[in-house]
Amino acid sequence: MSTEEVRLFIGPQHPGVTGNMSIEVLLKGDTITWAKTHIGYLHRAFEKLMERRIFIKSFPLVCRICVPESDTNEENLARGLEELADIEIPERAKWIRTLVLELSRLQMFIMWYGGIAGSMGLSTPVQWGIGDRDYILDLFEELTGGRVYHIYILPGGVRKDLPEGFEERVLKTMDLIERRLPEYDELIMDNAVEQKRLKGLAPIPKEWVEEMGITGPVARACGFPYDVRKNSPYEAYDKLDFDVITEDGCDVWSMLLVRRREIDLSIKLIREIVSKMPKGEFLTRLPNVLYWEIPKGETYVKSEATRGEFGYYIFTDGSGKPRRVHVKGPSFIHGITLLERLLVGQNIADVAPILVALQICPPEMER
Amino acid sequence: MGLKEVLKPLGAWRQIARKPHTILVPKVHREAAERYRGFHVNDLGKCIGCGTCAAVCPNEAIDMVKIEGIEGKKGDSGFRPRIDYGRCCWCGLCVDSCPTTSLRMTNEYIWIREAPDDFVYIPGYDIKGFEQKEKGYRKDKEHSFTDYHRVPMREKEPEERLQTFAEVVLGYTEEEARKEADRCIGCGLCISGCPDRMHIPDYIRAVASGEYERSVNIMYENNPFAELCGKVCTRRCESYCSLGNEGDPVAIRWLKRFATERFSDLKEVIRARKQELKDKSVGIIGAGPGGLTAAYYLALRGYKVTVYEAMPEAGGMTMAGIPKYRFPLPSLKKQVEFILSQGVELKTNYFVDPEKFRNLMEIHDAIYLGVGLLKPWKLGVPGEDHPNVIYAIDYLRKVNFNESVKIGNEVVVIGGGDVAIDAARVSRRFGAKVTIGYRRRKVDMPADREEIEGAEEEGVEIWEKIIPLRVEDAPEGRVKLVYGKARMVDQGPGRRPKPVLIEGEEYEILVDRIIVAIGQQADLTFLPQEFAEKMEVERGRIKVNERQMTSISGIFAGGDVANRVADAISAIADGLRAVKGIELYFQGKS
């Protein structure tokens, strides 16, 4: 190692706003010449713990795999188990799940929108993002009884029906957020500093997308129209009208644009879901959950999280506990494979915006 | 990019004039949502300590602990959940699985204390100030983990039943049985209600998972009459089922019936290990369920067992008393044959008199008396010795042994127990018009609810608050029952009201037969003088200790002759206890 190089550890205390992980970099002046992601600060052995739990007990656990967007985990696990146990869920349950997933995506995007500004030292939108997200958490609290960990989507459907007048309150909150968004745009998108720093930052070579298996807004910012909601629809997504959002810049600015447009799309989808919400039953009776045994089988279920394709591989052996559950979080690829290569040649000051742009959620790398 | 991009962000300053999102805690209290999952509360009076909350808790945050002032009793473990809020993750699975709905959550979320111990407490017992909160997460019974609805048992239509003595109940299909068995949450509170302490949750779980052979083997660990109990048990276990508090209890009896009926040859199913032969012999008087249970387990333990039965067939009251539409003969034969196949010797038509009893005492090392109650109680009213007044116990025996009985076209049955209902339903099958006269109200009848309903469906009329006054002869070979009406005098909580005759009113009913079914008493005349003197008898029943030994060393007793419950399962329990007692007696330990 040359003496001109400086070894620097970024993290493990929240670098940017993404969670506990650490990036070890070598610097030549301001420029990164080598990078390595270190994980393990959050490891709670989710996958292993699931193997020794009856199925129902895994639900309060998996929502912790990605704290700000917990519902994707619940939904994936529930859908996977339903598939293996051959349980058909009511139509209304599918729509309620879709509503929850979309609300969850929206609050995550709003928080992220503030976060990307925060990663460059503009802290006002961070406060806004947290504050406005809380109006959606209020909805979650009313619907599920929990603000962050909802534990609402269980096999068979959802735990409770929509409360009286909930749809109107959802629409009111959507109006409120829509009113606020131009103010965010003024501060972030129309900001000379942001534009100068983010446009053209960290361009991803297009061939990396397929090579590494990059998904979600990062892939869509590279022009790949891949969205699980469209490509392999789940729950009620096949009944919703929307197009996959793509940008062609491959840089952080394009990722910002994709996510900004995703916010609009989520609001549109939530309004559509509310207008199409069918009546009826919301939960199929499960076998006795204390003794629930699922026949031998394996499945892979996936959904579109804000970060990309989120998947659960579940293997059951006929007993009351899963033989193996493997969680595929998009951050694993984005945070290790992609990040380590993407950082090379970048300025040290841009590490935080790049991390946030890839929207890395460390707990999903360490299941 | 130009001046616009420099100036536009300054628009954020307009925020300064706006009301903030935030509120000042604790000055302002923000009430959480209606179904918020906050601190728990528990209705201690409703909670039965079943432990389901502790079983489903993903974080092992719930312990079941003993607390002062709550004693365990049948159907209540006496334990209550204690929650460690250092572990609780507020998922509410405990609330969703609480069978009594006693455990729920409030929408309180602030609890600030210095001592860590203040975060481990028993909701409902340790008063925290939010017990009265109405809002909070609670269970919706129809959308929870508990299935409160029993799979209905299919039965023959009433008209069809009356044509035959074939079984009324059709039994569960495999799918129905597994569904019903799967409702069981495995708390085990039912065991406290079973006199025989059968391993109920275990064999039900085995049914649910389709392991029927294992299920029957579990039953045979302490009950060799599992099929009998599956058909006619008084099933007190079901009244202590935790699901019964808010819904239908698990159909424990029907599930036992389902599992046992699947196997026609028990020898191929039951894997009972026989111990080596011992040189002690036991004589058992009475081949009823109690006597044969003792015989079975004694034989397995290697003792030589001989059973003496006065009737031509083994089975006792289950042979002679229970009508065949409830308990068919082939089922009894199958169970008795299996018991005999373990090396039990059976002597039928062997009526024990004092002389024979002395002889049995000589040849056996211990004696078990399972003689039952054979002498019917009389009404004690004038004219009762009229030939048209018959006693249910004799009547049912004759019917079951295919002896001829004439009951005519109209019958009144006096009594409110299972025997009265049996006599009434049997009479309906002979085409008679049947009325049951009971001295209390229908709700006070000790008979099984389903039996009462079945009788009514078959056209039996039940008259409440009837007190027979006298029996009079009537022309054309008929008989007249003169009766008065009773009024109910409350006897305080938990006790049945006392019927008191309303003086000065008399009614009468003209029938062909009066069937008396007001209970039976023991007939101990077979005991020789010297034994009868020493044998302690308490209110008509032989007094026994906790090992079923009578006041005479070496003589054990059980079943109806010794216990007051007088049903098959308590007789079986007595038989099983006596086995232990007899073994200890042989070892010189009692």
Side-chain angles (χ1 to χ4, degrees):
Chain A
M1 188 176 60
S2 142
T3 47
E4 290 168 8
E5 284 185 328
V6 176
R7 182 182 300 271
L8 188 70
F9 283 84
I10 306 173
Q13 287 79 16
H14 280 215
V17 285
T18 65
N20 294 102
M21 62 182 266
S22 142
I23 308 156
E24 181 189 359
V25 290
L26 285 181
L27 289 173
K28 199 164 192 176
D30 277 355
T31 312
I32 296 167
T33 56
W34 175 87
K36 187 162 182 62
T37 306
H38 293 292
I39 59 169
Y41 304 99
L42 283 168
H43 188 58
R44 281 168 282 181
F46 295 110
E47 289 173 355
K48 203 72 196 163
L49 280 170
M50 276 189 257
E51 288 171 20
R52 48 171 73 182
R53 286 174 175 229
I54 58 173
F55 294 106
I56 201 74
K57 288 191 187 181
S58 289
F59 284 86
L61 181 72
V62 295
C63 51
R64 286 153 172 83
I65 293 180
C66 183
V67 182
E69 196 186 350
S70 56
D71 304 278
T72 326
N73 292 283
E74 293 172 20
E75 194 271 340
N76 266 330
L77 182 59
R79 185 151 47 91
L81 295 181
E82 280 155 8
E83 197 180 306
L84 291 168
D86 200 14
I87 292 171
E88 186 66 39
I89 68 163
E91 195 59 22
R92 185 176 172 81
K94 289 185 183 171
W95 283 84
I96 296 179
R97 283 180 178 186
T98 315
L99 176 65
V100 169
L101 288 176
E102 227 25 73
L103 281 170
S104 182
R105 286 168 59 80
L106 178 60
Q107 56 87 20
M108 182 74 163
F109 276 134
I110 289 173
M111 195 163 70
W112 179 89
Y113 199 22
I116 187 80
S119 69
M120 287 174 295
L122 180 57
S123 56
T124 306
V126 182
Q127 314 300 333
W128 290 2
I130 299 280
D132 289 328
R133 166 185 183 248
D134 256 37
Y135 291 110
I136 300 172
L137 298 193
D138 282 349
L139 293 174
F140 277 130
E141 180 184 330
E142 197 190 337
L143 177 64
T144 69
R147 292 181 72 82
V148 176
Y149 296 134
H150 308 135
I151 316 169
Y152 176 66
I153 298 172
L154 292 185
V158 292
R159 261 168 112 174
K160 298 261 175 191
D161 204 358
L162 301 183
E164 195 70 25
F166 183 72
E167 286 100 326
E168 285 97 83
R169 288 189 286 283
V170 170
L171 295 177
K172 259 173 95 176
T173 309
M174 289 310 111
D175 294 344
L176 180 126
I177 288 167
E178 214 170 38
R179 273 203 310 278
R180 290 277 292 136
L181 282 172
E183 297 183 20
Y184 281 78
D185 296 343
E186 256 180 16
L187 197 51
I188 304 169
M189 305 289 262
D190 299 341
N191 190 329
V193 180
E194 306 279 326
Q195 287 187 11
K196 283 206 99 160
R197 283 194 63 183
L198 298 183
K199 277 187 182 167
L201 175 64
I204 299 172
K206 278 197 177 182
E207 62 273 16
W208 283 10
V209 175
E210 285 194 328
E211 214 178 282
M212 297 183 187
I214 295 167
T215 53
V218 183
R220 293 200 288 275
C222 299
F224 281 82
Y226 179 73
D227 187 324
V228 185
R229 294 177 295 175
K230 199 78 188 172
N231 292 51
S232 35
Y234 49 98
E235 305 299 356
Y237 279 113
D238 55 341
K239 299 181 188 75
L240 295 174
D241 177 31
F242 68 101
D243 292 318
V244 177
I245 294 164
T246 50
E247 290 287 335
D248 222 21
C250 304
D251 56 354
V252 172
W253 184 256
S254 300
M255 294 176 206
L256 174 63
L257 287 177
V258 169
R259 293 210 170 86
R260 176 61 188 83
R261 287 170 63 194
E262 287 281 357
I263 293 177
D264 291 339
L265 175 62
S266 280
I267 294 175
K268 175 195 161 302
L269 288 180
I270 288 166
R271 287 185 175 135
E272 193 180 337
I273 294 164
V274 167
S275 71
K276 287 183 177 171
M277 181 69 71
K279 296 259 171 291
E281 201 40 73
F282 58 91
L283 184 67
T284 307
R285 185 165 286 291
L286 284 185
N288 191 335
V289 293
L290 288 170
Y291 302 98
W292 190 21
E293 289 174 349
I294 294 181
K296 188 174 171 177
E298 58 185 311
T299 185
Y300 178 73
V301 285
K302 56 187 174 180
S303 59
E304 183 71 20
T306 49
R307 290 138 351 261
E309 180 187 309
F310 209 99
Y312 267 65
Y313 166 77
I314 307 165
F315 186 102
T316 50
D317 58 2
S319 72
K321 294 163 187 172
R323 179 68 192 83
R324 177 82 171 94
V325 179
H326 177 78
V327 183
K328 184 230 178 229
S331 301
F332 191 83
I333 293 157
H334 299 168
I336 300 174
T337 327
L338 176 60
L339 184 72
E340 285 179 357
R341 286 205 247 170
L342 199 58
L343 284 180
V344 176
Q346 299 299 331
N347 191 294
I348 178 73
D350 290 332
V351 172
I354 293 171
L355 259 178
V356 178
L358 300 180
Q359 208 177 0
I360 289 154
C361 186
E364 68 188 39
M365 294 189 232
E366 312 173 27
R367 296 89 35 186
Chain B
M1 215 185 300
L3 193 59
K4 206 176 88 189
E5 276 76 20
V6 178
L7 294 178
K8 258 198 156 180
L10 298 176
W13 281 100
R14 67 173 85 88
Q15 194 72 19
I16 208 160
R18 289 197 189 139
K19 211 172 146 251
H21 297 289
T22 45
I23 54 165
L24 287 171
V25 176
K27 273 189 187 159
V28 185
H29 178 71
R30 178 187 175 276
E31 166 112 60
E34 174 86 37
R35 53 172 80 147
Y36 188 79
R37 298 194 300 263
F39 287 97
H40 297 76
V41 284
N42 190 13
D43 183 345
L44 289 189
K46 217 172 162 190
C47 177
I48 50 170
C50 65
T52 315
C53 47
V56 83
C57 179
N59 304 322
E60 295 177 13
I62 303 181
D63 284 328
M64 298 304 289
V65 294
K66 194 89 193 75
I67 57 176
E68 242 174 78
I70 292 180
E71 291 307 317
K73 55 175 194 257
K74 282 182 182 177
D76 181 352
S77 71
F79 291 86
R80 294 295 180 265
R82 180 182 64 193
I83 302 179
D84 180 350
Y85 287 97
R87 304 186 72 118
C88 176
C89 76
W90 318 91
C91 61
L93 292 186
C94 49
V95 175
D96 272 357
S97 53
C98 175
T100 62
T101 68
S102 70
L103 190 68
R104 56 181 189 83
M105 288 165 127
T106 63
N107 65 345
E108 281 295 323
Y109 53 93
I110 296 179
W111 175 250
I112 303 163
R113 288 293 182 279
E114 283 177 2
D117 283 356
D118 284 352
F119 292 85
V120 182
Y121 65 81
I122 303 164
Y125 182 73
D126 297 320
I127 302 302
K128 298 291 175 190
F130 34 70
E131 282 72 16
Q132 302 309 321
K133 282 292 252 186
E134 280 300 314
K135 286 184 179 173
Y137 189 82
R138 56 186 66 207
K139 178 173 181 170
D140 161 8
K141 274 169 61 183
E142 294 308 313
H143 300 100
S144 67
F145 299 148
T146 326
D147 186 352
Y148 289 104
H149 305 288
R150 176 182 284 200
V151 177
M153 173 56 88
R154 288 169 298 114
E155 289 184 348
K156 282 204 178 78
E157 288 302 314
E159 300 74 41
E160 197 186 334
R161 291 182 213 161
L162 292 179
Q163 309 302 318
T164 141
F165 271 80
E167 251 185 307
V168 170
V169 171
L170 296 172
Y172 280 142
T173 61
E174 185 169 358
E175 192 189 344
E176 285 171 334
R178 291 187 66 169
K179 185 163 184 276
E180 177 63 21
D182 193 45
R183 291 173 61 220
C184 174
I185 54 172
C187 66
L189 288 178
C190 46
I191 301 174
S192 67
C194 177
D196 195 40
R197 303 284 188 264
M198 289 188 75
H199 313 306
I200 301 167
D202 296 351
Y203 67 70
I204 288 193
R205 185 45 45 197
V207 171
S209 48
E211 300 164 81
Y212 310 120
E213 200 170 312
R214 193 167 74 85
S215 178
V216 177
N217 269 291
I218 296 170
M219 295 173 197
Y220 265 75
E221 279 172 22
N222 53 1
N223 185 350
F225 279 105
E227 189 168 331
L228 163 79
C229 291
K231 290 175 192 286
V232 298
C233 185
T234 45
R235 64 202 164 94
R236 270 166 290 157
C237 50
E238 288 182 23
S239 45
Y240 300 110
C241 175
S242 55
L243 299 187
N245 291 290
E246 291 285 319
D248 306 328
V250 176
I252 301 172
R253 176 175 60 168
W254 297 144
L255 290 171
K256 194 153 50 213
R257 176 197 154 102
F258 167 80
T260 48
E261 271 194 337
R262 291 184 71 84
F263 304 103
S264 53
D265 189 359
L266 291 167
K267 271 177 257 175
E268 286 175 11
V269 179
I270 311 297
R271 294 176 297 273
R273 270 227 337 269
K274 249 187 110 168
Q275 294 177 13
E276 59 185 64
L277 283 178
K278 302 184 177 83
D279 62 342
K280 296 268 187 196
S281 83
V282 183
I284 291 175
I285 304 178
L292 286 178
T293 300
Y296 175 72
Y297 291 109
L298 284 167
L300 286 185
R301 280 166 170 72
Y303 298 104
K304 193 172 173 307
V305 186
T306 314
V307 183
Y308 305 94
E309 171 59 50
M311 286 189 294
E313 299 278 353
M317 275 299 163
T318 60
M319 171 65 212
I322 301 175
K324 296 304 157 207
Y325 64 83
R326 283 175 66 198
F327 184 45
L329 199 56
S331 165
L332 175 66
K333 289 232 159 106
K334 171 176 128 188
Q335 296 172 81
V336 170
E337 269 167 28
F338 176 67
I339 291 171
L340 297 182
S341 75
Q342 303 302 315
V344 175
E345 191 187 353
L346 173 71
K347 289 188 175 167
T348 50
N349 292 317
Y350 192 101
F351 194 86
V352 178
D353 56 21
E355 197 45 51
K356 282 185 181 152
F357 189 84
R358 282 195 196 97
N359 182 34
L360 293 183
M361 284 301 287
E362 286 293 311
I363 59 174
H364 292 298
D365 300 293
I367 294 280
Y368 178 83
L369 303 177
V371 294
L373 306 174
L374 295 173
K375 232 161 70 179
W377 283 110
K378 299 202 163 190
L379 284 173
V381 298
E384 194 182 350
D385 47 3
H386 190 284
N388 288 7
V389 177
I390 57 174
Y391 293 92
I393 198 82
D394 302 328
Y395 169 55
L396 291 173
R397 187 185 62 236
K398 283 181 185 163
V399 172
N400 279 350
F401 279 101
N402 288 327
E403 291 173 31
S404 72
V405 267
K406 284 206 179 72
I407 54 156
N409 297 323
E410 268 180 73
V411 169
V412 62
V413 178
I414 308 292
D418 280 319
V419 176
I421 302 283
D422 285 346
R425 293 181 78 173
V426 165
S427 306
R428 278 297 291 143
R429 279 163 176 71
F430 288 131
K433 177 180 178 295
V434 183
T435 309
I436 292 177
Y438 179 52
R439 58 185 177 148
R440 293 192 178 91
R441 297 160 305 173
K442 207 195 303 180
V443 290
D444 304 316
M445 285 173 96
D448 191 299
R449 289 296 110 190
E450 283 178 16
E451 285 296 310
I452 298 172
E453 281 162 22
E456 286 187 310
E457 282 166 15
E458 289 168 11
V460 173
E461 229 178 286
I462 298 177
W463 291 0
E464 300 178 321
K465 304 184 227 177
I466 300 293
I467 295 190
L469 296 175
R470 60 185 179 277
V471 177
E472 287 175 9
D473 194 24
E476 296 169 15
R478 304 189 84 190
V479 64
K480 193 186 338 174
L481 174 72
V482 181
Y483 63 90
K485 288 277 181 75
R487 66 188 164 84
M488 294 294 118
V489 179
D490 192 34
Q491 299 291 297
R495 299 178 63 184
R496 290 191 300 171
K498 192 173 148 190
V500 176
L501 180 70
I502 302 169
E503 299 286 344
E505 285 180 34
E506 274 189 12
Y507 306 87
E508 54 183 51
I509 175 173
L510 201 63
V511 290
D512 295 301
R513 290 288 185 280
I514 297 171
I515 302 177
V516 181
I518 56 168
Q520 296 83 244
Q521 52 180 321
D523 181 3
L524 298 177
T525 49
F526 66 90
L527 285 177
Q529 183 74 23
E530 66 272 24
F531 287 98
E533 278 168 5
K534 279 196 276 177
M535 182 79 75
E536 273 184 54
V537 177
E538 201 177 51
R539 288 163 58 214
R541 303 285 201 279
I542 296 176
K543 204 176 157 191
V544 290
N545 67 9
E546 71 284 359
R547 297 251 182 257
Q548 299 299 129
M549 185 143 90
T550 64
S551 48
I552 305 172
S553 189
I555 300 184
F556 295 76
D560 296 359
V561 77
N563 74 45
R564 271 171 209 289
V565 190
D567 61 5
I569 186 70
S570 8
I572 291 165
D574 286 353
L576 189 64
R577 250 195 313 274
V579 171
K580 188 90 185 152
I582 290 169
E583 208 166 32
L584 287 173
Y585 169 71
F586 286 157
Q587 292 162 1
K589 288 179 188 161
S590 72

